[in-house]
Amino acid sequence: MKKLGLLGEKLGHSYSKEIHEIFFKLTGKDASYKLIEKEMEDIPSFMQELREGKFDGVNVTIPYKNEVMDYMDSISDSAKKIGAVNTITVKNGATGIMTGSKVESITLESGSTLNVDGKVDTSVYTNATKSNVSFGIAAYSGAINNQGTINVTNGATGIYLAGTASLVNQGTITVDAISKQIGRPDTKASAELGGIKVTDKGEVTINNKVINGGTVNIKGDLNMAGMGLDVSTGKTIVDARSISGVAEVLPNFSKGNSEQKVTIKDVFRTGAVGAFSGDVKSKSVSWIAKISKEPGSSTTTKDITMVRIPYNSLISGERYKNLASGLEDIRSKIGKDSSSPIFKSLDNISSHRDFARAIANIRGDVYSNIQERMKTVESAFDRSYDELLSSYNKTRNVNKFSVIYTGGEHKDSTLGVSGYKYKSTGVLYLNDREAFTYGGKYGWSAGIVGSNFEFKGDTNKGSKERVISGKLGLHYQTPLNKKDDNAGLKWLTRGELTVNTHRTKRNSQVGRDAYQNKASFYSTELSWKNTLSYDYDINTNWTVKPYAGIDMSYGHIFKIKEKNEGLPLEVKGKDYFVITPNVGVETKYVLPLGAIHQLFTKVDTEFSYDVTKLYHGVNQAKMKNASTGYYDLSKPERRRARVAVGAELGLEKENAYGVTFRAEYQGYKKNSFNYGVRLNYKF
């Protein structure tokens, strides 16, 4: 069993023991790891114990990094000068650094060097074997960040990656021609140099674990299949005897500005003319990558030129024309020394599906069904209004109040249009006066309701809207059959004005990044509603009321202007006019509870049909900061024909207060469910 450890003064915070024990278990290594706490005066004797073989190897942490230098076999002049060791030489079957499952990162800083020598001198190092070749870093987790230099010689493996480990190379990795693929420490698994597989011929293949931001020097042949090229630094990336295969250019070079073409010089270096047969492709949907050659430049180097694809080419269709032009117009105004986060996010998208989803988020279809939301608010008032109006008046002048709480969900399967869930709370006041004719009444009403909408679906998911609605109304009811003592046949007419204030928070998911735009705007609705009904008493407790009516509404949505981050929109103002006939029947049963209290239940069914359309055309939007025109938003599903079935349960005190619970199902092509509770009071 190999005995290893960590030397330091206070090690209670260290996870080294746990990390190494996990590593030993994963690799089947027969070894132990100990935390070695020593005082400064104990260092000389401990170093002697190391020479005598008490431990096979130790890591050193502060404050003894400088102290142990006095006991090393050899130290470079530069290390002596700075009082620290920045270069580690690993050879003769050793492993320099090992990581377990909890390591987040290892960084070789700029100016540091890791020499990994695979030469085995068994006459000096009796424990070394030809199969036990040196490893600079054996990583099983975390990111290996090379900002310095890694030299791999004599068949060694500079970096072995397994598990979730990855390499970010911002420095230089040099591999000599005799380095070869071998097993990882104490196993027969394949070895990788930062994702680079090395054959015994010096041929190197880079797999998709590698992100190269610095220089890779290969003294043999390089196959770039699966290699990701980070060209954001503008430095030489690959230097080899010959280069073949197709590499992917990562999109992080883009600043999201007005640049249409970016050239990165001398990305590839080869040993002779004609030794380069490789190619590149762009990881970004928005950019094309190609190998280029500047006139007069070295014949042994190759450049990469990135050319941006205009949005008019990426976004097709007549209804998207102005949207694409707007995006292009805004981007053209961003200076080359500036950077736009949202355009960078668009450039980072690597699949056409994700790009289409990002455009759908940007275009703002959350504003396509504003009219539907206004009708949702309207329905919250209507049910309370009907209940207050139909309740019995003991005196000629009655003040009635209703506290409203309703909720439900609206679904829409139209591509791009978001359905929503909502909750509404508010209060409605009704002044109800009896006319001199039995069964007749008149009066006025006022109410305020606050509604919260949360949007569902793939586009603008998680967006929210807060609507505050104020309403004023007048009503008049008169019996139509003067000879009917019960005044069963009645005509009710009422006119209402509703004013809404909207506050939206529109979320846009663009690739991996999220943006939010806010807007405040107004809408109004003027309505005239008429109902003809007949109250038929089956007995003193059970009443059936068939009815027919027609509702007419004119609404206007004022212009919307967004602000905040991302790409703010401007939504064009819109009018609508709807005529909706309806027929239905409701039945109510009352159960007296003593002299003044009663329990009641009500079931109602209604069929309605919009003669005119709620959406005349579609709502339109444009890029707020662009000089281009409006584009069409998606056209929502409008259920012109609707069937609603509702049930209520209530308890009330005569001429005083009551509480009602209601559930409602709406169907016809699309189904929805609404619920609510009302607290009523009259005096």
Side-chain angles (χ1 to χ4, degrees):
M1 176 185 288
K2 287 192 175 182
K3 295 178 289 183
L4 308 172
L6 173 64
L7 173 64
E9 186 177 30
K10 303 293 183 182
L11 302 176
H13 63 285
S14 176
Y15 290 96
S16 295
K17 179 177 173 64
E18 291 85 351
I19 292 171
H20 282 81
E21 288 177 347
I22 293 172
F23 170 76
F24 299 153
K25 185 176 181 180
L26 291 173
T27 60
K29 195 175 186 68
D30 186 16
S32 64
Y33 197 92
K34 183 179 180 181
L35 299 179
I36 309 165
E37 293 185 347
K38 297 289 184 180
E39 301 292 336
M40 185 66 73
E41 59 268 21
D42 297 326
I43 296 301
S45 61
F46 177 76
M47 298 303 294
Q48 182 59 34
E49 291 177 355
L50 287 181
R51 292 184 178 277
E52 295 172 356
K54 187 172 181 179
F55 287 87
D56 295 293
V58 295
N59 302 118
V60 184
T61 188
I62 56 176
Y64 301 138
K65 289 183 177 290
N66 295 336
E67 184 72 16
V68 299
M69 293 177 64
D70 295 335
Y71 305 93
M72 298 291 104
D73 291 330
S74 62
I75 301 175
S76 67
D77 292 338
S78 60
K80 292 177 181 177
K81 185 177 291 185
I82 65 174
V85 177
N86 290 328
T87 299
I88 304 171
T89 298
V90 183
K91 57 184 179 179
N92 298 304
T95 301
I97 302 172
M98 294 183 293
T99 75
S101 59
K102 297 182 180 181
V103 175
E104 293 184 0
S105 65
I106 294 176
T107 299
L108 274 70
E109 296 182 350
S110 178
S112 65
T113 303
L114 176 61
N115 295 317
V116 191
D117 188 358
K119 184 178 181 181
V120 177
D121 188 350
T122 56
S123 65
V124 178
Y125 298 91
T126 56
N127 291 330
T129 64
K130 291 184 178 181
S131 64
N132 190 14
V133 182
S134 303
F135 287 77
I137 299 173
Y140 294 84
S141 68
I144 310 302
N145 185 1
N146 177 41
Q147 302 172 8
T149 301
I150 300 176
N151 299 312
V152 186
T153 59
N154 293 316
T157 297
I159 299 175
Y160 170 75
L161 297 180
T164 59
S166 61
L167 170 70
V168 177
N169 180 37
Q170 298 174 320
T172 300
I173 299 176
T174 302
V175 185
D176 70 4
I178 67 169
S179 292
K180 58 186 179 180
Q181 181 175 328
I182 60 167
R184 68 178 182 178
D186 297 334
T187 74
K188 296 181 179 180
S190 63
E192 298 176 351
L193 172 64
I196 306 172
K197 294 185 177 180
V198 186
T199 71
D200 57 2
K201 298 180 180 179
E203 182 180 300
V204 178
T205 302
I206 302 181
N207 68 24
N208 56 15
K209 285 187 176 181
V210 178
I211 300 175
N212 296 296
T215 302
V216 175
N217 297 318
I218 306 296
K219 291 182 173 58
D221 300 325
L222 173 64
N223 182 345
M224 301 190 298
M227 183 171 76
L229 291 179
D230 178 354
V231 297
S232 60
T233 62
K235 298 179 181 179
T236 300
I237 302 296
V238 179
D239 188 346
R241 182 175 62 199
S242 66
I243 300 174
S244 62
V246 180
E248 287 189 325
V249 181
L250 304 182
N252 58 350
F253 69 90
S254 170
K255 297 179 180 179
N257 55 21
S258 59
E259 288 184 303
Q260 302 294 312
K261 184 173 77 171
V262 177
T263 298
I264 305 95
K265 293 185 178 293
D266 298 338
V267 177
F268 303 104
R269 295 183 183 272
T270 53
V273 178
F276 183 88
S277 61
D279 203 353
V280 292
K281 63 179 180 180
S282 176
K283 188 78 171 175
S284 171
V285 171
S286 306
W287 291 80
I288 297 172
K290 61 180 182 179
I291 300 294
S292 62
K293 188 69 183 172
E294 294 291 332
S297 62
S298 171
T299 57
T300 62
T301 63
K302 298 288 183 180
D303 307 329
I304 292 178
T305 295
M306 305 300 298
V307 180
R308 191 174 70 81
I309 305 172
Y311 292 116
N312 303 80
S313 299
L314 285 171
I315 307 171
S316 60
E318 188 65 27
R319 60 193 291 245
Y320 292 93
K321 182 178 178 180
N322 284 340
L323 170 62
S325 298
L327 289 171
E328 200 66 35
D329 182 51
I330 293 173
R331 185 157 187 170
S332 68
K333 300 174 183 176
I334 305 172
K336 293 184 178 181
D337 295 329
S338 301
S339 180
S340 168
I342 195 166
F343 283 113
K344 286 180 66 176
S345 298
L346 280 170
D347 288 348
N348 279 322
I349 296 174
S350 58
S351 77
H352 288 276
R353 179 181 179 184
D354 290 343
F355 186 84
R357 184 179 288 112
I359 296 301
N361 275 268
I362 289 172
R363 60 185 268 109
D365 277 325
V366 72
Y367 297 115
S368 62
N369 57 354
I370 302 173
Q371 296 92 322
E372 192 72 52
R373 302 198 293 273
M374 293 171 66
K375 288 301 180 183
T376 297
V377 173
E378 182 75 7
S379 67
F381 281 111
D382 280 349
R383 293 298 179 185
S384 292
Y385 192 98
D386 292 341
E387 183 171 340
L388 290 179
L389 195 63
S390 63
S391 65
Y392 174 71
N393 292 359
K394 193 173 183 179
T395 61
R396 289 189 174 274
N397 187 4
V398 181
N399 297 297
K400 304 177 181 179
F401 287 90
S402 179
V403 178
I404 307 165
Y405 174 79
T406 63
E409 183 175 10
H410 175 77
K411 299 179 180 179
D412 198 315
S413 60
T414 305
L415 182 64
V417 179
S418 298
Y420 54 82
K421 289 185 176 181
Y422 72 92
K423 292 180 180 179
S424 299
T425 57
V427 61
L428 178 66
Y429 166 76
L430 179 70
N431 178 260
D432 200 19
R433 298 171 180 264
E434 285 192 0
F436 290 101
T437 303
Y438 180 74
K441 58 173 66 181
Y442 65 94
W444 65 281
S445 59
I448 185 168
V449 168
S451 303
N452 292 318
F453 297 88
E454 184 174 352
F455 298 91
K456 307 296 181 180
D458 292 335
T459 58
N460 302 125
K461 188 176 182 179
S463 299
K464 296 180 179 180
E465 182 177 60
R466 173 69 171 170
V467 182
I468 304 296
S469 307
K471 181 185 286 289
L472 289 174
L474 298 172
H475 68 273
Y476 176 76
Q477 179 178 286
T478 185
L480 296 181
N481 187 356
K482 306 294 184 181
K483 297 180 180 180
D484 184 2
D485 293 336
N486 294 321
L489 184 62
K490 303 182 184 68
W491 171 56
L492 170 67
T493 184
R494 72 181 201 258
E496 296 170 342
L497 173 65
T498 305
V499 178
N500 305 304
T501 64
H502 304 251
R503 303 287 187 271
T504 62
K505 294 180 180 179
R506 181 174 65 91
N507 295 337
S508 300
Q509 190 69 34
V510 182
R512 297 179 179 179
D513 304 310
Y515 299 88
Q516 186 180 89
N517 292 95
K518 298 180 180 180
S520 300
F521 63 99
Y522 295 91
S523 66
T524 60
E525 184 177 271
L526 185 65
S527 62
W528 182 31
K529 303 176 181 182
N530 294 270
T531 303
L532 185 67
S533 64
Y534 183 78
D535 290 332
Y536 179 75
D537 296 331
I538 296 178
N539 54 47
T540 56
N541 298 329
W542 188 6
T543 303
V544 176
K545 182 174 76 174
Y547 63 89
I550 185 168
D551 298 344
M552 291 175 282
S553 301
Y554 166 77
H556 179 73
I557 304 167
F558 291 85
K559 181 182 290 186
I560 304 169
K561 291 185 177 182
E562 288 187 330
K563 58 183 180 180
N564 288 64
E565 59 187 6
L567 292 167
L569 301 179
E570 180 180 302
V571 182
K572 195 175 187 179
K574 186 76 172 178
D575 295 330
Y576 65 86
F577 180 65
V578 183
I579 300 176
T580 308
N582 57 80
V583 294
V585 61
E586 69 176 45
T587 179
K588 183 177 180 180
Y589 185 82
V590 177
L591 179 65
L593 300 175
I596 58 176
H597 290 86
Q598 63 181 24
L599 183 71
F600 68 88
T601 181
K602 184 170 68 174
V603 178
D604 54 84
T605 301
E606 180 181 287
F607 174 80
S608 61
Y609 186 85
D610 293 344
V611 177
T612 59
K613 296 180 180 180
L614 181 63
Y615 301 99
H616 298 279
V618 295
N619 296 342
Q620 293 181 312
K622 64 179 292 257
M623 294 288 134
K624 181 181 176 183
N625 299 323
S627 56
T628 52
Y630 289 94
Y631 55 85
D632 290 348
L633 296 174
S634 297
K635 188 173 184 178
E637 251 179 354
R638 176 60 180 172
R639 299 182 288 275
R640 299 179 70 180
R642 296 181 302 279
V643 176
V645 179
E648 294 185 1
L649 179 66
L651 175 68
E652 61 182 1
K653 180 181 179 181
E654 182 180 324
N655 209 43
Y657 57 81
V659 59
T660 304
F661 300 91
R662 178 177 178 83
E664 182 180 278
Y665 168 83
Q666 290 188 5
Y668 196 81
K669 293 185 178 180
K670 291 292 180 181
N671 302 325
S672 64
F673 179 78
N674 307 302
Y675 60 89
V677 59
R678 299 186 296 273
L679 300 175
N680 304 319
Y681 182 73
K682 5 184 218 182
F683 62 94

